[in-house]
Amino acid sequence: MENIEARVKKIVAEQLGVNEAEVKIDSSFVDDLGADSLDTVELVMALEEEFECEIPDEEAEKITTVQQAVDYVTAHLNK
Amino acid sequence: MSLQGKVALVTGASRGIGAAIADTLAAAGAKVIGTATSESGAAAIGERLAQWGGVGMVLNVGEDGAIDALVDTISKEYGDVAILVNNAGITRDGLLMRMKDEDWDAIMDTNLKSVFKASKAVMRGMMKARWGRIINIASVVGAMGNAGQANYAAAKAGIMGFTKSMAREVGSRGITVNCVAPGFIDTDMTRALPEAQREALVQQIALGRLGAAQDIADAVDFLASDRAAYVTGQTLHVNGGMLMP
């Protein structure tokens, strides 16, 4: 679980070009980390690759915070 | 050899403008995948491009899932598509009052929806690479209209609007999206016109002659290269001065 959180935070930091220390569990990609809509699409692409899963568009739209990304990955990796 | 190492997908590469584009990009060093709607067409493209290491593949742009599957295959075998030339197109000419819904739909699917689908399919690879070129073959008809081609003109004008929106969406990722709008080019498509109509058309061209497929291919070659890195969202008119928008 912590491992997933750390991996998600690392990807978020890389994709959005922010310092990893700035990425908190409750950070919103757009409001807190300065992402634009295309950044969030790319972020989902990066998550898909890191965790080798496919995130459907309807689900991807709901992932707007680090917590939501961690939750999604956790739920779907357990399957 | 400015396109060395780049994977280029050219739709509708059997003949005419598409064939010239595929050959020119291949000669410039790109790994070109040219598509045709039939196996025999794809094989012929493969033979033509073999000298540069290019290949021919079957693609019917109107078929559901066909573009995604092709782009997937290309990515696995050759790498992500870096240059996409949306060239495949058909005509179903006729006066509006006699134009059937099927004539309209066929043109929209093959000439416009395919541009959307192919562009979407290659976008992931281009975004990751932070480099990409999408070059859509429009038409002078999309800018000036033409009696008997309401469907074709609408699709081609649609491509221009699509191009501008795409250019704004993905410009920050180093991807440029442009159109080349051919005028009256000497191809099978225009050879089908009656002689009188051809002559009347030539009268409208400042340079007084038809264009060659190579004229279009050269414009595409430019837009695909790093020389055109600062050109995006544009329609490059290659029409001998037939229209000066």
Side-chain angles (χ1 to χ4, degrees):
Chain A
M1 178 63 196
E2 271 173 8
N3 186 25
I4 288 177
E5 184 178 324
R7 282 160 76 191
V8 168
K9 282 182 172 172
K10 185 162 181 285
I11 288 169
V12 170
E14 273 171 16
Q15 280 296 322
L16 303 183
V18 294
N19 199 312
E20 222 173 306
E22 285 175 57
V23 183
K24 309 281 190 254
I25 188 70
D26 58 351
S27 295
S28 154
F29 305 136
V30 175
D31 297 334
D32 301 321
L33 302 174
D36 65 17
S37 56
L38 192 59
D39 288 326
T40 61
V41 172
E42 275 195 306
L43 183 56
V44 168
M45 277 168 41
L47 290 170
E48 286 177 332
E49 271 164 34
E50 171 72 17
F51 297 101
E52 290 171 352
C53 60
E54 210 161 296
I55 307 176
D57 289 347
E58 316 83 78
E59 297 293 328
E61 281 172 18
K62 294 180 200 149
I63 302 174
T64 61
T65 67
V66 176
Q67 181 72 60
Q68 285 163 350
V70 171
D71 289 349
Y72 183 90
V73 171
T74 306
H76 289 79
L77 278 190
N78 289 340
K79 275 184 183 169
Chain B
M1 302 294 268
S2 58
L3 303 179
Q4 200 67 44
K6 299 268 198 283
V7 174
L9 170 59
V10 181
T11 65
S14 286
R15 53 207 171 102
I17 290 171
I21 292 169
D23 292 0
T24 301
L25 297 185
K31 173 86 189 176
V32 174
I33 293 93
T35 74
T37 52
S38 67
E39 288 283 354
S40 59
I45 293 170
E47 274 174 37
R48 230 183 49 232
L49 295 179
Q51 57 174 311
W52 301 291
V55 292
M57 289 188 181
V58 174
L59 172 67
N60 191 334
V61 293
E63 202 177 291
D64 267 349
I67 291 176
D68 285 338
L70 178 80
V71 168
D72 209 42
T73 303
I74 293 170
S75 292
K76 287 192 182 111
E77 286 185 31
Y78 307 107
D80 287 335
V81 174
I83 301 163
L84 167 67
V85 182
N86 283 306
N87 168 74
I90 57 170
T91 56
R92 288 283 178 85
D93 298 351
L95 293 175
L96 179 76
M97 294 190 68
R98 295 192 188 282
M99 190 172 285
K100 297 184 175 65
D101 284 9
E102 301 93 86
D103 298 330
W104 177 269
D105 292 341
I107 292 292
M108 288 301 151
D109 281 353
T110 304
N111 294 9
L112 182 56
K113 193 175 183 186
S114 64
V115 174
F116 153 70
K117 289 203 283 192
S119 301
K120 190 174 165 187
V122 300
M123 198 44 65
R124 179 183 280 248
M126 289 184 181
M127 295 230 307
K128 271 166 59 187
R130 291 287 189 273
W131 197 96
R133 295 282 189 268
I134 297 178
I135 300 153
N136 300 317
I137 306 305
S139 168
V140 67
V141 167
M144 66 184 285
N146 192 22
Q149 290 198 304
N151 50 0
Y152 187 81
K156 293 300 188 182
I159 288 174
M160 295 179 195
F162 172 87
T163 296
K164 293 173 192 176
S165 291
M166 282 283 301
R168 290 186 190 277
E169 274 188 30
V170 298
S172 64
R173 301 301 191 270
I175 302 166
T176 69
V177 190
N178 291 287
C179 291
V180 172
F184 196 28
I185 307 298
D186 190 21
T187 65
D188 290 347
M189 203 188 259
T190 53
R191 258 169 244 142
L193 293 170
E195 187 58 34
Q197 202 181 338
R198 281 166 69 95
E199 271 172 30
L201 272 163
V202 170
Q203 299 290 315
Q204 310 291 315
I205 302 172
L207 293 178
R209 60 179 173 84
L210 302 191
Q214 190 60 43
D215 293 322
I216 306 307
D218 288 339
V220 171
D221 183 33
F222 165 68
L223 289 172
S225 75
D226 279 322
R227 289 167 293 158
Y230 201 56
V231 181
T232 195
Q234 305 301 311
T235 295
L236 177 48
H237 288 271
V238 181
N239 61 30
M242 179 180 176
L243 173 75
M244 305 181 193

